[in-house]
Amino acid sequence: MNAQVLNAGDTTFYEFDNKIGFWGRKNFSREISYPGCSGEKIFVSHNSLGNRDEEVIKDSKQKTVVFLG
């Protein structure tokens, strides 16, 4: 894993979007640490959409289900 450690309170894994406000940086992965976490490092990663999730792969052969609630 090739990750950098950010300074405490560094929020550079987010960026401003004119339509939706602050959102996760796309294609991002890094280790961060905060003083309140006893100096432990936390791995943060965002997919190509800026979400903390696995990459979404569209498959035209499978149906898509959306849950709202």
Side-chain angles (χ1 to χ4, degrees), residues 23-51:
W23 196 256
R25 289 177 56 192
K26 298 174 182 176
N27 301 313
F28 176 88
S29 62
R30 193 174 290 171
E31 285 185 341
I32 61 169
S33 62
Y34 290 103
C37 295
S38 305
E40 293 181 35
K41 296 173 184 166
I42 303 167
F43 183 72
V44 177
S45 66
H46 296 161
N47 62 17
S48 64
L49 299 173
N51 295 318

Side-chain angles (χ1 to χ4, degrees), residues 1 3-4 8 13-15 17 19 21 25 28 30 39 45 50 52-53 66-67:
M1 171 184 356
Q4 298 174 350
F13 51 94
Y14 290 104
E15 60 189 4
D17 182 277
K19 294 181 182 177
R25 289 177 56 192
F28 176 88
R30 193 174 290 171
S45 66
R52 289 188 188 185
D53 201 355
V66 177
F67 291 94

